[in-house]
Amino acid sequence: MASQGAWDLTALLNAADPRAALPLRNLWLARLLEWLRHAPLDKSEQRERGARPLPLVRLTHLLNVLERNPVHAGNVAGVLAGAWRDLQAVGLFADVGFASRMALWSEVGHRLRLRLLPGTVDTRELGELFGLLFPDADDEAWLRAVDDTLLQRLAALFAGALPDADWRGALVDALTMLVSAVRSAGFSGPLRQRMDSELLANNPFGQLARAADDLVDALKAGDEAELRRALQYLRALLDACRAAAASVPEHLEAWGVSVDIMFEVEQLMARTERVEALLDVLVAEQPARELVQLLAGLVRVVHERRSLRTLFSRHYALLARKVAERSAETGEHYITRNAAEYRDMLWRAAGGGAVIGGTTLAKFALGALGFTAFWAGFVAGANYALSFVLIHLLHWTVATKQPAMTAPAMAHKLRNIAGEEGLEGFVDEVGHLLRSQFAGIAGNLLAVIPVVLAVQLLAWLFFGAPAVGPKDAAYVLHSLQLLGPSVFFAAFTGVLLFLSSLVAGWVENWFVFYRLDSAIAWNPRLIARLGAARAQRWSAWWRANISGLAANTSLGLMLGLVPVSLAFFGLPIEVRHVTLSTGQLAAAVGALGLDIFRQPGFWWCLPTIALIGILNLGVSFALALLVALRARGIQVADRARVQAAIWRRLRENPRSFLLPPRA
């Protein structure tokens, strides 16, 4: 309660009315629990508290008052009896914490409603009221701390209020509902098809319902021997069901990840754990203790279900790891480890730079056509995308694509740095990576500059004017000034480079999950049209290239469309790509001739180009490394040791970070 008046116990007890309407009685229960949590202590209670949680001190005081005042005790007992009579308790044990539909985004909507919309005490469902009775996550701790003496006094109060109540009925009904839900989930196609067939050989899901019925019958009959046998058998089946469900992620690791399937697996596992908790209460010698522990667990579940962060971190972890692993597999191709691979990277990067030179000139030509903002962004993005895809198909490379792909590969190497040999091996990989990045950028820039200058020179010779004129050259010099926003734009471009790697991993996972490579190879209609041999070749080609096509297409379209989309919302953000920016500066040199070297603006552009390259590479690498580390659950505990090893190598052999080792 927000007001201090609600913390007055006398007023609270006077308001206890067993004949009041159900919403008023529910509201009184919520106020009582609020008083337990937040009421101030008097001096005698402060001395008694010690290390005990405040709610337990207040609860002891409440029981003392009720034992001295039979009238108040009778009213409180009447409210409790009415709550038990009028509220449906089954949903509390069978539904709280579980999604009504096995779809992740449906659960996202439910959690948003829980966070944004207020609840009401006008309900007959104890499960709906439970979150209002225990709105604080700390309620779990004090519930678990209830001692045996206090538990006995509470049991006496409830026994007086409910002398003939069948407290097991709601738990038995909830047990039946949960077992039915587990059985249904185990038989659902998406899970059944991905479970280990050996673990399903004895049909554990099919036997659950009968085993639960046998246990309930033994419980009602009071047959202790049969109850122990039925309990042991049901728990063995639950273990078998959990083992079968636990095999689903292994299948997803190999054949593509689905967050909806992972969500359904998590729900199935949680329901089996709830069944175990209900069994603990039903067969316990002191059920009150187990029931309080069950309620404490429900408090935790209620608050976990309000958390969107917990939901996404739990169910996207496997997808993030799989995306990172697919990027790591691709990233290994961008790391050079010897002189031959280094030279090959230089040549492939030079080929990519030559294509980017044509892309730069095409960008100026398309800009001169006067498209509206959206279409200008679209054709620019299409220009970039077609160029990047062409580079990919020719097996050339663009240096700025490397970091987002190589970072997951580096994260994998961090697993093995415990010993000195593993640490030195990781430093070797850092050297290989930096050399590869240097070779990629050097090859791109050494090719894009002469290609653009050659086109400008040919235009002068044949048409008497450069392909890119002085007006565009002046804009380039202005846009690449060191003190302008280009540095921020370069970092933003690094984010887009990282996002393109995520798109590539996600698309490849989607391609594998739906087995499109198998569909291309074995679909009867495609085989009839293409022939068996060609269908197999197409299948292999798409499997090998789907990630690269997705990465390059998404990167190109984002470079063109994201700036115009942000400009629509008043955010004047542009992109700065080191190879494209270098090509633009070379075009400006071709337009203005040797006079450009006498302009201070040109010399200010050179450090800007260097910073653009550093930020393109650094931001995309850092983001990809962070995602890869979190997805794999890697904790770099001794960062100082890693940094010291890298600095030591840099002092002793700086050449190893730029050039390949001598033969």
Side-chain angles (χ1 to χ4, degrees):
M1 297 297 294
S3 64
Q4 291 288 337
W7 293 347
D8 181 76
L9 180 58
T10 302
L12 195 61
L13 293 177
N14 288 335
D17 183 3
R19 296 178 299 276
L22 179 62
L24 292 176
R25 283 181 277 135
N26 291 345
L27 181 60
W28 184 87
L29 290 173
R31 286 173 172 170
L32 175 64
L33 286 162
E34 184 69 16
W35 175 82
L36 290 179
R37 278 187 293 270
H38 298 300
L41 297 172
D42 58 30
K43 293 182 179 179
S44 62
E45 289 173 330
Q46 290 175 0
R47 289 193 299 270
E48 294 174 3
R49 178 179 180 182
R52 297 181 74 199
L54 170 64
L56 296 188
V57 178
R58 303 303 292 157
L59 182 57
T60 302
H61 176 61
L62 171 64
L63 293 174
N64 292 337
V65 171
L66 293 179
E67 290 168 358
R68 293 194 301 265
N69 296 272
V71 175
H72 287 324
N75 289 336
V76 171
V79 173
L80 294 176
W84 181 260
R85 181 184 64 249
D86 297 332
L87 292 173
Q88 299 293 324
V90 177
L92 172 64
F93 304 115
D95 298 332
V96 167
F98 304 120
S100 57
R101 292 195 298 169
M102 294 301 177
L104 183 67
W105 285 101
S106 174
E107 178 66 6
V108 170
H110 177 79
R111 295 194 182 200
L112 283 173
R113 290 192 295 273
L114 288 178
R115 291 171 67 90
L116 300 177
L117 301 180
T120 176
V121 296
D122 185 11
T123 178
R124 291 187 175 275
E125 288 291 334
L126 183 56
E128 296 178 1
L129 183 63
F130 191 77
L132 297 174
L133 296 179
F134 298 97
D136 293 345
D138 294 338
D139 289 333
E140 178 189 3
W142 68 262
L143 281 172
R144 294 192 185 280
V146 174
D147 55 64
D148 291 338
T149 301
L150 193 56
L151 199 58
Q152 291 174 1
R153 298 176 69 185
L154 281 172
L157 175 64
F158 280 95
L162 307 164
D164 301 320
D166 179 17
W167 61 270
R168 284 193 176 95
L171 275 70
V172 168
D173 291 342
L175 175 69
T176 303
M177 293 178 184
L178 289 167
V179 165
S180 177
V182 171
R183 184 174 183 269
S184 176
F187 283 151
S188 66
L191 264 62
R192 186 189 69 255
Q193 295 166 8
R194 291 170 175 84
M195 291 180 186
D196 189 331
S197 58
E198 294 183 0
L199 297 175
L200 295 177
N202 294 325
N203 192 23
F205 290 99
Q207 299 184 64
L208 272 180
R210 180 62 182 272
D213 290 341
D214 290 345
L215 182 135
V216 172
D217 291 341
L219 188 66
K220 292 178 179 178
D223 187 340
E224 291 295 332
E226 179 62 21
L227 179 61
R228 287 194 298 271
R229 186 203 65 79
L231 179 64
Q232 183 179 10
Y233 186 56
L234 179 57
R235 282 183 162 159
L237 287 177
L238 290 171
D239 289 340
C241 292
R242 278 192 291 268
S247 68
V248 173
E250 299 176 8
H251 183 281
L252 296 178
E253 288 270 12
W255 300 101
V257 176
S258 165
V259 291
D260 281 336
I261 290 178
M262 283 303 302
F263 179 65
E264 191 166 354
V265 169
E266 190 269 347
Q267 292 281 290
L268 186 154
M269 302 283 263
R271 282 188 166 92
T272 62
E273 293 171 1
R274 181 72 58 81
V275 171
E276 296 273 14
L278 292 178
L279 292 174
D280 289 339
V281 179
L282 289 170
V283 303
E285 294 182 2
Q286 295 181 337
R289 164 62 57 191
E290 297 297 335
L291 182 59
V292 170
Q293 297 301 313
L294 173 59
L295 293 177
L298 289 174
V299 171
R300 184 188 69 252
V301 167
V302 165
H303 289 280
E304 285 180 351
R305 200 175 182 201
R306 294 177 184 270
S307 172
L308 289 171
R309 180 178 181 180
T310 301
L311 179 70
F312 282 110
S313 63
R314 180 181 299 167
H315 295 98
Y316 277 90
L318 182 61
L319 178 60
R321 185 166 74 249
K322 181 51 62 180
V323 168
E325 287 175 356
R326 296 195 189 283
S327 296
E329 294 169 5
T330 305
E332 286 291 341
H333 302 303
Y334 290 107
I335 299 178
T336 65
R337 293 181 171 84
N338 53 52
E341 292 178 354
Y342 188 84
R343 288 192 297 271
D344 180 66
M345 175 63 72
L346 278 173
W347 281 111
R348 290 192 290 122
V355 175
I356 295 297
T359 307
T360 304
L361 297 169
K363 178 181 182 297
F364 284 111
L366 293 170
L369 297 179
F371 290 107
T372 58
F374 172 80
W375 290 109
F378 177 79
V379 296
N383 176 37
Y384 298 144
L386 290 173
S387 300
F388 295 151
V389 169
L390 177 61
I391 292 170
H392 169 76
L393 295 178
L394 294 173
H395 303 290
W396 294 340
T397 189
V398 179
T400 48
K401 280 179 56 212
Q402 294 173 312
M405 295 297 183
T406 53
M410 296 300 294
H412 182 68
K413 302 295 191 299
L414 281 170
R415 288 183 178 274
N416 306 312
I417 62 171
E420 286 302 317
E421 183 179 351
L423 180 62
E424 289 303 313
F426 177 74
V427 176
D428 289 339
E429 289 298 321
V430 172
H432 297 329
L433 173 64
L434 292 179
R435 281 201 308 272
S436 304
Q437 302 294 336
F438 177 76
I441 289 183
N444 280 171
L445 301 189
L446 290 176
V448 71
I449 293 171
V451 166
V452 173
L453 289 177
V455 172
Q456 288 284 74
L457 178 61
L458 290 174
W460 273 109
L461 293 176
F462 287 100
F463 303 107
V468 178
K471 182 179 179 180
D472 289 325
Y475 174 77
V476 169
L477 295 179
H478 173 73
S479 65
L480 292 178
Q481 289 301 299
L482 181 62
L483 300 180
S486 287
V487 173
F488 170 75
F489 294 161
F492 174 73
T493 305
V495 175
L496 297 184
L497 290 163
F498 160 70
L499 292 178
S500 71
S501 72
L502 291 187
V503 171
W506 182 87
V507 169
E508 185 175 10
N509 177 76
W510 174 85
F511 186 89
V512 172
F513 180 78
Y514 289 104
R515 304 187 65 194
L516 295 184
D517 52 342
S518 178
I520 295 172
W522 299 108
N523 182 272
R525 296 176 65 181
L526 289 177
I527 292 175
R529 181 178 293 272
L530 300 175
R534 185 180 298 175
Q536 294 288 339
R537 290 197 302 272
W538 278 38
S539 172
W541 187 90
W542 277 104
R543 181 65 183 86
N545 290 279
I546 186 65
S547 176
L549 293 174
N552 289 292
T553 303
S554 62
L555 176 60
L557 292 177
M558 283 192 291
L559 290 176
L561 286 172
V562 169
V564 298
S565 300
L566 294 176
F568 178 79
F569 295 100
L571 299 173
I573 297 178
E574 301 176 14
V575 294
R576 293 288 185 271
H577 186 279
V578 60
T579 310
L580 290 168
S581 296
T582 302
Q584 292 171 353
L585 187 60
V589 172
L592 300 179
L594 296 178
D595 289 341
I596 195 173
F597 298 113
R598 290 192 288 269
Q599 297 187 28
F602 170 79
W603 299 104
W604 279 110
C605 290
L606 298 183
T608 306
I609 293 291
L611 279 176
I612 290 173
I614 293 171
L615 289 170
N616 283 172
L617 299 174
V619 170
S620 60
F621 181 84
L623 291 174
L625 182 64
L626 179 63
V627 169
L629 289 174
R630 289 190 174 182
R632 295 169 182 265
I634 300 174
Q635 298 291 331
V636 186
D638 198 356
R639 299 189 182 193
R641 181 165 158 264
V642 175
Q643 293 171 358
I646 294 174
W647 282 112
R648 183 170 62 252
R649 177 70 62 85
L650 187 60
R651 291 192 303 270
E652 295 174 356
N653 188 11
R655 179 184 182 279
S656 64
F657 290 94
L658 295 177
L659 298 174
R662 295 184 177 91

